[in-house]
Amino acid sequence: MSDPSAYIFDTAAVLHNRARAETYGNDHTFLKQEISDRLHDRLHDITRPFQSVLDIGGDFARFSGMPATTLSISDTPLPTSDNQFDLVISNLVMHWVNDLPGLLIQLNRALKPDGLMMAAMFGGETLKELRHSLLAAESELTGGAHGRVIPFADVKTLGSLLQRAGFALPVTDMDTLTVTYEHPLKLLADLRGMGEANALLDRPKNFMRRDVLSRALEIYSRDYAQSDGRVPATFQIIYLTGWHPHESQQKPAKRGSGQVSLAAALKAGAPPQK
């Protein structure tokens, strides 16, 4: 597990934001519903039954209707046993985990041999328009800037973390969704309703100055508004898939086991010479 002194998220604030979002009902859950559907579609491509399922975050089970044990992610060890589940799945919550390498190791241990871990989380391009607008406005009006949109991991880093956690056959891929809004304030309301309000440990503890927020909204509209006046918000979704190792799984070929040299392959594929 990583050093807690290096943590960047306020776990209590993360849990508070999620609990508050639950009181808003389903008015802001369209994105989690969409990604839950996409995860469900991916599971349909795997021709095996999953008898014991662990839902990390709770959203997938709620939206998909799949029976599962649900747990809320925190920075404490998961209350699970080794080799307990056929499937571990997570829908748009793992980007708030301080010790993501440690969590992935725990999830791998919780899986039975040849069990599957599948997760979706926000990637590095998420909310790039909002990040730019807030930084530009605060820098312009106060001479400095605070982190108001959290950092998101990129696909290469997450792929490496899957390997380090001991998953077999690790795969990462991504989608980019663009949601358009009548006004940037609508985006802020959705983020609050999804439980995605700022929970950085070093976040400003006072409300953003009204003039800074107003200027950020102006910059957002100025720099990103489409011809119809609506503004886009980018959500990059990274999917992580890995299996608990099992002897039946496909293994990569040993180094040097190829029967055709690279030079011969290149020569074979070259156009004929005149």
Side-chain angles (χ1 to χ4, degrees):
M1 305 293 281
S2 63
D3 180 2
S5 66
Y7 287 0
I8 64 172
F9 301 127
D10 180 343
T11 302
V14 171
L15 296 176
H16 169 76
N17 290 342
R18 289 181 193 156
R20 181 179 59 191
E22 289 293 326
T23 67
Y24 297 145
N26 296 323
D27 291 343
H28 308 278
T29 59
F30 66 93
L31 190 59
K32 291 187 176 182
Q33 174 72 70
E34 173 64 26
I35 302 307
S36 175
D37 291 344
R38 296 188 183 201
L39 288 170
H40 207 246
D41 287 344
R42 288 169 178 243
L43 285 177
H44 279 307
D45 294 334
I46 301 172
T47 55
R48 70 161 63 181
F50 296 104
Q51 303 297 333
S52 53
V53 180
L54 174 62
D55 176 19
I56 296 295
D59 295 313
F60 178 78
R62 177 156 61 98
F63 291 128
S64 70
M66 178 179 285
T69 299
T70 60
L71 292 177
S72 177
I73 293 179
S74 67
D75 290 316
T76 56
L78 295 176
T80 57
S81 302
D82 291 355
N83 310 127
Q84 186 176 354
F85 297 99
D86 299 312
L87 171 67
V88 172
I89 197 156
S90 178
N91 181 29
L92 297 183
V93 292
M94 288 171 57
H95 54 282
W96 285 112
V97 175
N98 279 302
D99 184 14
L100 187 55
L103 175 65
L104 290 173
I105 290 171
Q106 292 182 72
L107 297 183
N108 196 1
R109 290 174 177 169
L111 285 169
K112 297 176 182 178
D114 205 31
L116 173 65
M117 191 282 296
M118 184 180 290
M121 57 188 294
F122 290 126
E125 293 295 300
T126 298
L127 298 176
K128 61 182 181 180
E129 303 89 353
L130 180 62
R131 187 191 309 275
H132 160 75
S133 302
L134 290 172
L135 287 175
E138 198 161 22
S139 179
E140 176 185 313
L141 296 181
T142 70
H146 297 89
R148 297 189 183 274
V149 177
I150 69 171
F152 300 100
D154 60 50
V155 67
K156 183 178 179 180
T157 298
L158 293 173
S160 297
L161 290 182
L162 282 177
Q163 291 182 316
R164 285 173 51 191
F167 284 100
L169 309 174
V171 175
T172 55
D173 63 291
M174 60 186 179
D175 288 334
T176 299
L177 284 69
T178 302
V179 181
T180 64
Y181 290 89
E182 180 183 353
H183 191 277
L185 277 176
K186 299 286 189 179
L187 167 63
L188 298 183
D190 266 351
L191 293 176
R192 184 180 178 90
M194 288 190 291
E196 297 295 328
N198 190 357
L200 288 167
L201 274 171
D202 64 351
R203 69 192 184 281
K205 298 305 187 284
N206 55 324
F207 290 109
M208 182 184 294
R209 280 172 33 185
R210 184 171 298 181
D211 62 331
V212 173
L213 176 59
S214 178
R215 181 59 179 147
L217 299 177
E218 291 174 356
I219 292 172
Y220 202 127
S221 296
R222 180 197 70 191
D223 291 354
Y224 299 106
Q226 300 173 340
S227 58
D228 60 359
R230 297 179 67 86
V231 295
T234 297
F235 294 92
Q236 185 182 63
I237 313 299
I238 300 181
Y239 300 93
L240 294 75
T241 304
W243 299 82
H244 189 92
H246 187 264
E247 60 183 12
S248 67
Q249 292 165 348
Q250 186 178 12
K251 303 294 192 299
K254 294 182 179 179
R255 181 181 291 273
S257 62
Q259 300 300 309
V260 179
S261 70
L262 177 60
L266 291 175
K267 184 175 181 181
Q273 299 294 316
K274 293 183 178 179

